[in-house]
Coordinates of all heavy atoms in Angstrom, one line a residue:
M18 N 0.8 -1.2 0.0 CA 0.0 0.0 0.0 C 0.9 1.2 0.0 O 1.9 1.3 0.7 CB -0.9 0.0 1.2 CG -2.0 1.0 1.2 SD -3.2 0.5 2.5 CE -4.4 1.8 2.3
R19 N 0.5 2.2 -0.8 CA 1.3 3.4 -0.9 C 1.2 4.2 0.4 O 0.1 4.2 1.0 CB 0.9 4.3 -2.0 CG 1.2 3.6 -3.4 CD 0.6 4.4 -4.5 NE 0.9 3.7 -5.8 CZ 1.0 4.3 -6.9 NH1 0.8 5.6 -7.0 NH2 1.2 3.6 -8.0
P20 N 2.2 5.0 0.8 CA 2.1 5.8 1.9 C 1.0 7.0 1.9 O 0.5 7.4 2.8 CB 3.5 6.4 2.2 CG 4.2 6.2 0.9 CD 3.5 5.1 0.2
A21 N 0.9 7.5 0.6 CA -0.1 8.6 0.4 C -0.8 8.4 -0.9 O -0.3 7.8 -1.8 CB 0.7 9.9 0.4
C22 N -1.9 9.1 -1.0 CA -2.7 9.0 -2.3 C -1.9 9.8 -3.3 O -1.4 10.9 -3.1 CB -4.1 9.7 -2.1 SG -5.0 9.9 -3.6
P23 N -1.7 9.2 -4.5 CA -0.9 9.9 -5.6 C -1.6 11.1 -6.1 O -1.0 11.9 -6.8 CB -0.7 8.8 -6.6 CG -1.7 7.8 -6.4 CD -2.1 7.9 -4.9
H24 N -2.9 11.3 -5.9 CA -3.7 12.4 -6.5 C -3.8 13.5 -5.6 O -3.5 14.7 -5.9 CB -5.1 11.9 -6.9 CG -5.1 10.8 -8.0 ND1 -4.7 11.0 -9.2 CD2 -5.3 9.5 -7.8 CE1 -4.7 9.9 -9.9 NE2 -5.1 9.0 -9.1
C25 N -4.2 13.3 -4.3 CA -4.4 14.4 -3.4 C -3.4 14.5 -2.2 O -3.5 15.3 -1.4 CB -5.8 14.4 -2.8 SG -6.1 12.9 -1.8
Q26 N -2.4 13.5 -2.3 CA -1.3 13.5 -1.3 C -1.8 13.2 0.2 O -1.1 13.4 1.2 CB -0.5 14.8 -1.3 CG 0.0 15.2 -2.6 CD 0.8 14.1 -3.3 OE1 1.6 13.5 -2.6 NE2 0.6 13.9 -4.6
L27 N -3.0 12.7 0.3 CA -3.5 12.4 1.7 C -2.7 11.2 2.2 O -2.7 10.1 1.5 CB -5.0 12.0 1.6 CG -5.6 11.6 2.9 CD1 -5.7 12.7 3.9 CD2 -7.0 11.0 2.7
L28 N -2.2 11.3 3.4 CA -1.5 10.2 4.0 C -2.4 9.1 4.4 O -3.5 9.3 5.0 CB -0.7 10.6 5.2 CG 0.4 11.6 5.0 CD1 1.0 12.2 6.3 CD2 1.6 10.9 4.3
L29 N -2.1 7.8 4.0 CA -3.1 6.7 4.3 C -2.9 6.2 5.6 O -3.7 5.4 6.2 CB -2.8 5.7 3.2 CG -3.1 6.1 1.8 CD1 -2.9 5.1 0.8 CD2 -4.5 6.7 1.6
D30 N -1.8 6.5 6.3 CA -1.6 6.2 7.7 C -1.7 7.5 8.5 O -0.8 8.4 8.3 CB -0.2 5.5 7.9 CG 0.0 5.1 9.4 OD1 -0.8 5.5 10.3 OD2 0.9 4.3 9.6
R31 N -2.6 7.7 9.4 CA -2.8 9.0 10.0 C -2.0 9.2 11.2 O -2.1 10.2 11.9 CB -4.3 9.1 10.4 CG -5.2 9.0 9.2 CD -6.6 9.5 9.4 NE -6.6 10.9 9.3 CZ -7.7 11.7 9.6 NH1 -8.7 11.1 10.1 NH2 -7.6 13.0 9.5
G32 N -1.0 8.4 11.4 CA 0.0 8.6 12.4 C -0.3 8.1 13.8 O 0.6 8.0 14.6
S33 N -1.5 7.7 14.1 CA -1.8 7.2 15.4 C -1.3 5.8 15.4 O -1.4 5.0 14.5 CB -3.3 7.2 15.6 OG -3.7 6.5 16.7
R34 N -0.7 5.4 16.6 CA -0.1 4.0 16.7 C -1.1 3.0 16.6 O -0.8 1.9 16.0 CB 0.6 4.0 18.1 CG 1.5 2.8 18.2 CD 2.2 2.9 19.5 NE 1.2 3.2 20.6 CZ 1.4 2.8 21.8 NH1 2.5 2.2 22.2 NH2 0.5 3.0 22.7
D35 N -2.4 3.1 17.0 CA -3.4 2.1 17.0 C -4.4 2.4 15.9 O -5.6 1.9 16.1 CB -4.0 1.9 18.4 CG -4.5 3.2 18.9 OD1 -4.3 4.3 18.3 OD2 -5.1 3.2 20.0
F36 N -4.1 3.2 15.0 CA -5.1 3.6 13.9 C -5.7 2.4 13.2 O -6.9 2.3 13.0 CB -4.4 4.5 12.9 CG -5.3 4.9 11.8 CD1 -6.4 5.7 12.0 CD2 -5.2 4.3 10.5 CE1 -7.3 6.1 11.0 CE2 -6.1 4.7 9.5 CZ -7.1 5.5 9.8
F37 N -4.9 1.4 12.9 CA -5.4 0.3 12.0 C -6.1 -0.8 12.8 O -6.4 -1.9 12.3 CB -4.4 -0.2 11.0 CG -4.3 0.7 9.9 CD1 -3.1 1.6 9.8 CD2 -5.3 0.9 9.0 CE1 -3.0 2.5 8.8 CE2 -5.2 1.8 8.0 CZ -4.1 2.6 7.8
I38 N -6.3 -0.6 14.1 CA -7.1 -1.6 14.9 C -8.5 -1.7 14.3 O -9.1 -2.7 14.2 CB -7.1 -1.3 16.4 CG1 -5.7 -1.6 16.9 CG2 -8.2 -2.1 17.1 CD1 -5.5 -1.3 18.4
G39 N -9.0 -0.5 13.9 CA -10.3 -0.4 13.3 C -10.4 -1.2 12.0 O -11.3 -1.9 11.7
A40 N -9.3 -1.1 11.2 CA -9.2 -1.9 10.0 C -9.2 -3.4 10.2 O -9.8 -4.2 9.6 CB -7.9 -1.5 9.2
Y41 N -8.5 -3.8 11.3 CA -8.5 -5.2 11.7 C -9.9 -5.6 12.1 O -10.3 -6.7 11.7 CB -7.6 -5.5 12.9 CG -6.1 -5.3 12.6 CD1 -5.3 -4.5 13.4 CD2 -5.5 -6.0 11.5 CE1 -4.0 -4.3 13.2 CE2 -4.2 -5.8 11.3 CZ -3.4 -5.0 12.1 OH -2.1 -4.8 11.8
L42 N -10.6 -4.8 12.8 CA -12.0 -5.1 13.3 C -12.9 -5.3 12.1 O -13.6 -6.3 11.9 CB -12.5 -4.1 14.2 CG -14.0 -4.3 14.6 CD1 -14.1 -5.5 15.5 CD2 -14.5 -3.1 15.4
I43 N -12.9 -4.3 11.1 CA -13.7 -4.4 10.0 C -13.4 -5.6 9.1 O -14.2 -6.4 8.6 CB -13.6 -3.1 9.2 CG1 -14.3 -2.0 9.9 CG2 -14.3 -3.2 7.8 CD1 -14.2 -0.6 9.3
N44 N -12.0 -5.9 9.0 CA -11.6 -7.0 8.3 C -12.1 -8.3 8.9 O -12.5 -9.2 8.2 CB -10.0 -7.1 8.3 CG -9.5 -8.1 7.4 OD1 -10.0 -8.3 6.3 ND2 -8.4 -8.7 7.7
L45 N -12.0 -8.5 10.2 CA -12.5 -9.7 10.8 C -14.0 -9.8 10.6 O -14.4 -11.0 10.3 CB -12.2 -9.6 12.3 CG -12.7 -10.7 13.2 CD1 -11.9 -12.0 12.9 CD2 -12.6 -10.4 14.6
I46 N -14.8 -8.8 10.7 CA -16.2 -8.9 10.5 C -16.5 -9.3 9.1 O -17.3 -10.2 8.8 CB -16.9 -7.5 10.9 CG1 -16.8 -7.3 12.4 CG2 -18.3 -7.5 10.4 CD1 -17.2 -5.9 12.8
I47 N -15.9 -8.6 8.1 CA -16.2 -9.0 6.7 C -15.7 -10.4 6.3 O -16.5 -11.1 5.7 CB -15.5 -7.9 5.8 CG1 -16.3 -6.5 5.9 CG2 -15.6 -8.4 4.3 CD1 -15.7 -5.4 5.1
A48 N -14.6 -10.8 6.8 CA -14.0 -12.1 6.5 C -14.9 -13.1 7.1 O -15.2 -14.2 6.4 CB -12.6 -12.2 6.9
E49 N -15.4 -12.9 8.3 CA -16.2 -14.0 8.9 C -17.6 -14.0 8.3 O -18.2 -15.1 8.2 CB -16.4 -13.6 10.5 CG -15.1 -13.8 11.3 CD -14.4 -15.1 11.2 OE1 -15.1 -16.1 11.2 OE2 -13.2 -15.2 11.1
V50 N -18.1 -12.9 7.9 CA -19.4 -12.9 7.2 C -19.3 -13.6 5.8 O -20.2 -14.5 5.5 CB -20.0 -11.5 7.0 CG1 -21.2 -11.5 6.0 CG2 -20.5 -10.9 8.3
L51 N -18.2 -13.4 5.1 CA -17.9 -14.1 3.9 C -17.8 -15.6 4.1 O -18.4 -16.4 3.3 CB -16.7 -13.5 3.1 CG -16.8 -12.2 2.5 CD1 -15.5 -11.7 2.0 CD2 -17.8 -12.2 1.4
F52 N -17.1 -15.9 5.1 CA -16.9 -17.3 5.4 C -18.1 -18.0 5.8 O -18.5 -19.1 5.3 CB -15.9 -17.4 6.6 CG -15.8 -18.8 7.2 CD1 -15.0 -19.8 6.5 CD2 -16.3 -19.1 8.4 CE1 -14.9 -21.0 7.0 CE2 -16.2 -20.4 8.9 CZ -15.5 -21.3 8.2
A53 N -18.9 -17.4 6.6 CA -20.2 -18.0 7.0 C -21.2 -18.1 5.8 O -21.9 -19.1 5.7 CB -20.9 -17.2 8.1
T54 N -21.2 -17.1 5.0 CA -22.0 -17.2 3.8 C -21.6 -18.3 2.9 O -22.4 -19.0 2.3 CB -21.9 -15.8 3.0 OG1 -22.3 -14.8 3.9 CG2 -22.8 -15.8 1.8
L55 N -20.3 -18.5 2.7 CA -19.8 -19.5 1.8 C -20.1 -20.9 2.4 O -20.7 -21.7 1.7 CB -18.2 -19.4 1.7 CG -17.6 -20.6 1.0 CD1 -17.8 -20.5 -0.5 CD2 -16.1 -20.6 1.3
V56 N -19.9 -21.1 3.6 CA -20.2 -22.4 4.2 C -21.7 -22.7 4.2 O -22.2 -23.8 3.9 CB -19.6 -22.5 5.7 CG1 -20.2 -23.8 6.4 CG2 -18.2 -22.5 5.6
G57 N -22.5 -21.7 4.5 CA -24.0 -21.8 4.6 C -24.5 -22.1 3.2 O -25.4 -22.9 3.1
S58 N -23.9 -21.4 2.2 CA -24.3 -21.7 0.8 C -24.1 -23.1 0.4 O -24.9 -23.7 -0.3 CB -23.7 -20.7 -0.2 OG -24.0 -19.4 0.2
I59 N -22.9 -23.6 0.7 CA -22.5 -24.9 0.3 C -23.4 -25.9 1.0 O -23.9 -26.9 0.4 CB -21.0 -25.2 0.6 CG1 -20.1 -24.4 -0.3 CG2 -20.7 -26.7 0.5 CD1 -18.6 -24.4 0.0
V60 N -23.6 -25.8 2.3 CA -24.5 -26.7 3.0 C -25.9 -26.6 2.4 O -26.6 -27.7 2.2 CB -24.5 -26.3 4.5 CG1 -25.6 -27.1 5.2 CG2 -23.2 -26.6 5.1
Y61 N -26.4 -25.5 2.1 CA -27.8 -25.3 1.6 C -27.9 -26.0 0.2 O -28.8 -26.7 -0.1 CB -28.1 -23.8 1.5 CG -29.5 -23.6 1.0 CD1 -30.6 -23.8 1.8 CD2 -29.7 -23.2 -0.3 CE1 -31.9 -23.5 1.3 CE2 -31.0 -22.9 -0.8 CZ -32.1 -23.1 0.0 OH -33.4 -22.9 -0.5
A62 N -26.9 -25.8 -0.6 CA -26.9 -26.2 -2.0 C -26.8 -27.7 -2.1 O -27.3 -28.4 -3.1 CB -25.8 -25.5 -2.9
T63 N -26.1 -28.4 -1.2 CA -25.8 -29.8 -1.2 C -26.6 -30.6 -0.3 O -26.5 -31.8 -0.2 CB -24.3 -30.1 -1.0 OG1 -24.0 -29.6 0.3 CG2 -23.5 -29.4 -2.1
W64 N -27.6 -29.9 0.5 CA -28.3 -30.7 1.5 C -29.3 -31.7 0.8 O -29.8 -31.4 -0.2 CB -29.2 -29.6 2.3 CG -29.8 -30.3 3.5 CD1 -31.1 -30.8 3.6 CD2 -29.2 -30.5 4.8 NE1 -31.3 -31.3 4.9 CE2 -30.1 -31.1 5.6 CE3 -27.9 -30.2 5.2 CZ2 -29.8 -31.5 6.9 CZ3 -27.6 -30.6 6.5 CH2 -28.5 -31.2 7.3
P65 N -29.5 -32.9 1.3 CA -29.0 -33.5 2.5 C -27.7 -34.2 2.4 O -27.2 -34.9 3.4 CB -30.1 -34.4 2.9 CG -30.6 -34.9 1.6 CD -30.5 -33.8 0.7
A66 N -27.1 -34.3 1.2 CA -25.9 -35.1 1.0 C -24.7 -34.2 1.1 O -23.9 -34.1 0.1 CB -26.0 -35.8 -0.3
V67 N -24.5 -33.5 2.2 CA -23.4 -32.6 2.3 C -22.1 -33.4 2.5 O -22.1 -34.3 3.3 CB -23.6 -31.7 3.6 CG1 -22.4 -30.8 3.8 CG2 -24.9 -30.9 3.6
T68 N -21.1 -33.1 1.8 CA -19.8 -33.7 1.9 C -19.0 -33.0 3.0 O -18.2 -32.0 2.6 CB -19.1 -33.7 0.5 OG1 -19.0 -32.4 0.1 CG2 -19.8 -34.6 -0.5
W69 N -19.2 -33.4 4.2 CA -18.6 -32.7 5.3 C -17.1 -32.7 5.3 O -16.5 -31.7 5.7 CB -19.1 -33.4 6.6 CG -20.6 -33.2 6.8 CD1 -21.5 -34.1 6.8 CD2 -21.2 -31.9 7.1 NE1 -22.8 -33.6 6.9 CE2 -22.6 -32.2 7.1 CE3 -20.8 -30.6 7.3 CZ2 -23.6 -31.3 7.4 CZ3 -21.8 -29.6 7.6 CH2 -23.1 -30.0 7.6
D70 N -16.5 -33.8 4.8 CA -15.0 -33.8 4.7 C -14.5 -32.7 3.8 O -13.5 -31.9 4.1 CB -14.4 -35.1 4.2 CG -14.7 -36.2 5.4 OD1 -14.8 -35.8 6.5 OD2 -14.6 -37.4 5.0
A71 N -15.0 -32.6 2.6 CA -14.6 -31.5 1.6 C -15.0 -30.2 2.2 O -14.1 -29.2 2.1 CB -15.4 -31.7 0.3
L72 N -16.1 -30.0 2.8 CA -16.4 -28.7 3.4 C -15.4 -28.3 4.5 O -15.1 -27.1 4.6 CB -17.9 -28.8 4.0 CG -18.4 -27.5 4.6 CD1 -18.5 -26.4 3.5 CD2 -19.8 -27.7 5.2
Q73 N -14.9 -29.3 5.2 CA -13.9 -29.0 6.3 C -12.7 -28.4 5.7 O -12.1 -27.4 6.1 CB -13.6 -30.3 7.0 CG -12.6 -30.1 8.2 CD -12.3 -31.4 8.9 OE1 -13.0 -32.4 8.6 NE2 -11.4 -31.3 9.8
Y74 N -12.2 -28.9 4.5 CA -11.0 -28.4 3.9 C -11.3 -27.1 3.3 O -10.4 -26.2 3.3 CB -10.5 -29.4 2.8 CG -9.9 -30.7 3.5 CD1 -10.6 -31.9 3.3 CD2 -8.8 -30.7 4.3 CE1 -10.1 -33.1 3.9 CE2 -8.4 -31.8 5.0 CZ -9.0 -33.0 4.7 OH -8.6 -34.2 5.3
I75 N -12.4 -26.9 2.6 CA -12.7 -25.6 2.0 C -12.8 -24.6 3.1 O -12.4 -23.5 2.9 CB -14.1 -25.8 1.3 CG1 -13.9 -26.6 0.0 CG2 -14.6 -24.4 0.9 CD1 -15.2 -27.0 -0.6
A76 N -13.4 -24.9 4.2 CA -13.5 -23.9 5.4 C -12.2 -23.5 5.9 O -12.0 -22.3 6.2 CB -14.4 -24.6 6.5
V77 N -11.2 -24.4 6.0 CA -9.9 -24.1 6.5 C -9.2 -23.1 5.5 O -8.6 -22.1 5.9 CB -9.0 -25.4 6.7 CG1 -7.6 -25.0 7.0 CG2 -9.6 -26.1 7.9
V78 N -9.3 -23.4 4.2 CA -8.7 -22.5 3.2 C -9.3 -21.2 3.2 O -8.7 -20.1 3.2 CB -8.7 -23.2 1.8 CG1 -8.2 -22.2 0.8 CG2 -7.8 -24.4 1.8
A79 N -10.7 -21.2 3.3 CA -11.4 -19.9 3.2 C -11.2 -19.1 4.4 O -11.0 -17.8 4.3 CB -12.9 -20.2 3.1
I80 N -11.0 -19.6 5.6 CA -10.8 -18.8 6.8 C -9.4 -18.2 6.9 O -9.2 -17.3 7.6 CB -11.1 -19.6 8.1 CG1 -11.6 -18.7 9.2 CG2 -10.0 -20.5 8.5 CD1 -12.8 -18.0 9.1
I81 N -8.5 -18.8 6.1 CA -7.1 -18.2 6.0 C -7.1 -17.2 4.9 O -6.5 -16.1 5.0 CB -6.1 -19.3 5.8 CG1 -6.0 -20.2 7.1 CG2 -4.7 -18.7 5.4 CD1 -5.2 -21.4 6.8
V82 N -7.7 -17.5 3.7 CA -7.6 -16.6 2.5 C -8.5 -15.4 2.7 O -8.0 -14.2 2.3 CB -8.0 -17.4 1.3 CG1 -8.1 -16.5 0.1 CG2 -6.9 -18.5 1.0
A83 N -9.6 -15.5 3.3 CA -10.6 -14.4 3.3 C -10.0 -13.1 4.0 O -10.0 -12.0 3.4 CB -11.9 -14.8 4.0
P84 N -9.4 -13.2 5.2 CA -8.9 -12.0 5.8 C -7.7 -11.4 5.1 O -7.5 -10.2 5.0 CB -8.5 -12.4 7.3 CG -8.8 -13.9 7.4 CD -9.3 -14.4 6.1
L85 N -6.9 -12.3 4.5 CA -5.7 -11.8 3.8 C -6.2 -11.0 2.5 O -5.6 -10.0 2.1 CB -4.8 -12.9 3.4 CG -4.1 -13.7 4.5 CD1 -3.3 -14.9 4.1 CD2 -3.3 -12.7 5.3
T86 N -7.2 -11.5 1.9 CA -7.7 -10.9 0.6 C -8.4 -9.6 0.9 O -8.3 -8.6 0.1 CB -8.7 -11.9 -0.1 OG1 -8.0 -13.2 -0.2 CG2 -9.1 -11.4 -1.4
T87 N -9.2 -9.6 2.0 CA -10.0 -8.3 2.2 C -9.2 -7.2 3.0 O -9.7 -6.1 3.0 CB -11.3 -8.7 3.0 OG1 -10.9 -9.3 4.3 CG2 -12.2 -9.6 2.2
Y88 N -8.0 -7.6 3.6 CA -7.3 -6.6 4.4 C -7.0 -5.3 3.7 O -7.3 -4.2 4.2 CB -6.1 -7.1 5.0 CG -5.5 -6.2 6.0 CD1 -6.1 -5.8 7.1 CD2 -4.2 -5.6 5.7 CE1 -5.6 -4.9 8.0 CE2 -3.7 -4.7 6.6 CZ -4.4 -4.4 7.7 OH -3.8 -3.5 8.6
P89 N -6.5 -5.2 2.4 CA -6.2 -3.9 1.8 C -7.5 -3.1 1.7 O -7.4 -1.8 1.8 CB -5.6 -4.2 0.5 CG -5.2 -5.7 0.6 CD -6.0 -6.3 1.6
F90 N -8.6 -3.7 1.4 CA -9.8 -3.0 1.2 C -10.4 -2.4 2.5 O -10.9 -1.3 2.6 CB -10.9 -3.8 0.5 CG -10.4 -4.4 -0.8 CD1 -10.0 -5.7 -0.9 CD2 -10.3 -3.6 -2.0 CE1 -9.5 -6.2 -2.1 CE2 -9.8 -4.0 -3.1 CZ -9.4 -5.4 -3.2
T91 N -10.2 -3.2 3.6 CA -10.8 -2.8 4.8 C -9.9 -1.7 5.4 O -10.4 -0.9 6.2 CB -10.9 -4.0 5.8 OG1 -9.6 -4.6 6.0 CG2 -11.9 -5.0 5.4
K92 N -8.6 -1.6 5.1 CA -7.7 -0.5 5.5 C -8.3 0.8 5.0 O -8.4 1.8 5.7 CB -6.3 -0.7 5.1 CG -5.4 -1.5 6.1 CD -4.1 -1.8 5.5 CE -3.1 -0.8 5.9 NZ -1.7 -1.1 5.5
T93 N -8.5 0.8 3.7 CA -9.1 2.1 3.1 C -10.5 2.4 3.6 O -10.9 3.5 3.7 CB -9.0 2.0 1.6 OG1 -9.6 0.9 1.1 CG2 -7.5 2.1 1.1
L94 N -11.3 1.3 3.8 CA -12.6 1.5 4.3 C -12.6 2.1 5.7 O -13.3 3.1 6.0 CB -13.3 0.1 4.4 CG -14.8 0.2 4.6 CD1 -15.6 0.9 3.5 CD2 -15.3 -1.3 4.7
W95 N -11.7 1.7 6.5 CA -11.5 2.2 7.9 C -11.0 3.7 7.8 O -11.5 4.6 8.5 CB -10.6 1.4 8.7 CG -10.4 2.0 10.1 CD1 -9.2 2.7 10.5 CD2 -11.4 2.1 11.1 NE1 -9.4 3.1 11.8 CE2 -10.7 2.8 12.2 CE3 -12.6 1.7 11.2 CZ2 -11.4 3.1 13.3 CZ3 -13.3 2.0 12.5 CH2 -12.7 2.7 13.5
L96 N -10.1 4.0 6.8 CA -9.6 5.3 6.7 C -10.8 6.3 6.3 O -11.0 7.3 6.8 CB -8.6 5.4 5.6 CG -8.0 6.8 5.2 CD1 -7.3 7.4 6.4 CD2 -7.1 6.7 4.0
A97 N -11.7 5.8 5.4 CA -12.9 6.6 5.0 C -13.7 6.8 6.2 O -14.3 8.0 6.4 CB -13.6 5.9 3.8
F98 N -14.0 5.8 7.0 CA -14.8 5.9 8.2 C -14.2 6.9 9.2 O -14.9 7.8 9.7 CB -14.9 4.5 8.8 CG -15.8 4.5 10.1 CD1 -17.1 4.5 9.9 CD2 -15.2 4.4 11.3 CE1 -18.0 4.5 11.1 CE2 -16.0 4.3 12.4 CZ -17.4 4.4 12.3
D99 N -12.9 6.8 9.4 CA -12.2 7.7 10.2 C -12.2 9.2 9.7 O -12.4 10.1 10.5 CB -10.7 7.3 10.4 CG -10.0 8.1 11.5 OD1 -10.5 8.1 12.7 OD2 -9.0 8.7 11.2
L100 N -12.1 9.4 8.4 CA -12.1 10.7 7.9 C -13.5 11.4 8.0 O -13.6 12.5 8.0 CB -11.7 10.6 6.4 CG -10.2 10.4 6.1 CD1 -9.9 10.2 4.7 CD2 -9.4 11.6 6.6
S101 N -14.5 10.5 8.0 CA -15.9 11.1 8.1 C -16.1 11.7 9.5 O -16.9 12.6 9.7 CB -16.9 10.0 7.9 OG -16.9 9.1 8.9
F102 N -15.3 11.2 10.5 CA -15.4 11.7 11.9 C -14.4 12.8 12.2 O -14.6 13.6 13.0 CB -15.4 10.6 12.9 CG -16.7 9.8 13.0 CD1 -16.8 8.6 12.3 CD2 -17.8 10.3 13.6 CE1 -17.9 7.9 12.3 CE2 -19.0 9.6 13.6 CZ -19.0 8.3 13.0
S103 N -13.2 12.6 11.6 CA -12.1 13.6 11.8 C -11.6 14.0 10.4 O -10.7 13.3 10.0 CB -11.2 13.0 12.8 OG -9.9 12.9 12.4
P104 N -12.1 15.1 9.9 CA -11.7 15.4 8.5 C -10.2 15.7 8.4 O -9.6 16.1 9.4 CB -12.5 16.7 8.2 CG -13.7 16.6 9.2 CD -13.1 15.9 10.4
P105 N -9.6 15.6 7.3 CA -8.1 15.7 7.1 C -7.7 17.2 7.4 O -8.4 18.1 7.0 CB -7.9 15.3 5.7 CG -9.2 15.5 4.9 CD -10.2 15.2 6.0
T106 N -6.5 17.3 8.0 CA -6.0 18.7 8.1 C -4.7 18.7 7.2 O -4.3 17.8 6.6 CB -5.6 18.9 9.6 OG1 -4.6 17.8 10.0 CG2 -6.8 18.8 10.5
A107 N -4.0 19.8 7.3 CA -2.7 20.0 6.5 C -1.7 18.9 7.0 O -0.9 18.5 6.2 CB -2.2 21.4 6.7
R108 N -1.8 18.5 8.2 CA -0.9 17.5 8.8 C -1.1 16.1 8.1 O -0.1 15.3 8.2 CB -1.2 17.4 10.3 CG -0.1 17.0 11.1 CD -0.6 17.1 12.6 NE -1.9 16.3 12.6 CZ -2.1 15.4 13.6 NH1 -1.3 15.2 14.5 NH2 -3.3 14.7 13.6
D109 N -2.3 15.9 7.5 CA -2.6 14.6 6.9 C -2.1 14.5 5.5 O -2.4 13.6 4.7 CB -4.0 14.3 7.0 CG -4.5 14.1 8.5 OD1 -3.8 13.4 9.2 OD2 -5.5 14.6 8.9
R110 N -1.5 15.6 5.0 CA -1.1 15.6 3.5 C 0.4 15.4 3.5 O 1.2 15.9 4.3 CB -1.3 17.0 2.9 CG -2.8 17.4 3.0 CD -3.6 16.8 1.9 NE -5.0 17.2 2.1 CZ -6.0 16.6 1.5 NH1 -5.8 15.5 0.8 NH2 -7.2 17.0 1.7
A111 N 0.9 14.5 2.5 CA 2.3 14.3 2.3 C 2.9 15.6 1.6 O 2.2 16.2 0.8 CB 2.5 13.2 1.3
T112 N 4.1 16.0 2.1 CA 4.8 17.1 1.5 C 5.8 16.6 0.5 O 6.5 15.7 0.8 CB 5.4 17.9 2.6 OG1 6.3 17.1 3.4 CG2 4.4 18.5 3.6
T113 N 5.8 17.3 -0.6 CA 6.8 16.9 -1.6 C 8.0 17.8 -1.4 O 7.9 19.0 -1.1 CB 6.2 17.1 -3.1 OG1 5.7 18.5 -3.1 CG2 5.1 16.2 -3.3
T114 N 9.1 17.1 -1.5 CA 10.4 17.9 -1.3 C 11.1 18.0 -2.7 O 12.0 17.2 -3.0 CB 11.3 17.2 -0.3 OG1 11.5 15.8 -0.8 CG2 10.7 17.2 1.0
T115 N 10.7 19.0 -3.5 CA 11.4 19.2 -4.8 C 12.0 20.6 -4.8 O 11.6 21.5 -4.1 CB 10.4 19.0 -5.9 OG1 9.2 19.9 -5.7 CG2 10.0 17.6 -6.1
Ligands
ZN215 ZN1 -6.7 11.1 -2.9

């Protein structure tokens, strides 16, 4: 992820040490909802002959891949959420040294 937006120079890390805990929280929620939806859909589609062994392997892969895949998007989603409550100041812009 780039340190600042290439268009408006907004810093994507707002400097707070625990800023991205919110991104972790949103990532966990989205990944778990995706995971539950996937498993629920497979069970629903294959009921009553659910292949539980295959579902177990799919679930393990999905629960590892889902948070890794969604993390970059949830970081920017959390940044947008944070900016809605604390608008950017001049301090939040990258300065160019030319
Ligand atoms: Zn921008």
Side-chain angles (χ1 to χ4, degrees):
M18 192 166 180
R19 295 178 181 202
C22 174
H24 300 288
C25 64
Q26 307 304 318
L27 178 70
L28 292 171
L29 300 178
D30 184 349
R31 300 196 81 190
S33 172
R34 194 176 48 153
D35 53 356
F36 176 73
F37 283 108
I38 288 177
Y41 292 128
L42 174 66
I43 290 176
N44 188 39
L45 180 69
I46 292 168
I47 290 175
E49 295 301 320
V50 167
L51 286 175
F52 171 75
T54 302
L55 173 73
V56 170
S58 298
I59 290 172
V60 169
Y61 181 78
T63 59
W64 192 264
V67 180
T68 52
W69 294 108
D70 289 342
L72 184 60
Q73 181 180 355
Y74 293 115
I75 291 170
V77 168
V78 171
I80 204 67
I81 293 170
V82 170
L85 296 175
T86 307
T87 57
Y88 185 64
F90 303 105
T91 57
K92 272 174 90 172
T93 51
L94 190 64
W95 178 252
L96 177 64
F98 182 77
D99 187 59
L100 287 171
S101 69
F102 286 99
S103 120
T106 61
R108 211 177 48 134
D109 294 316
R110 305 276 178 197
T112 54
T113 54
T114 55
T115 52

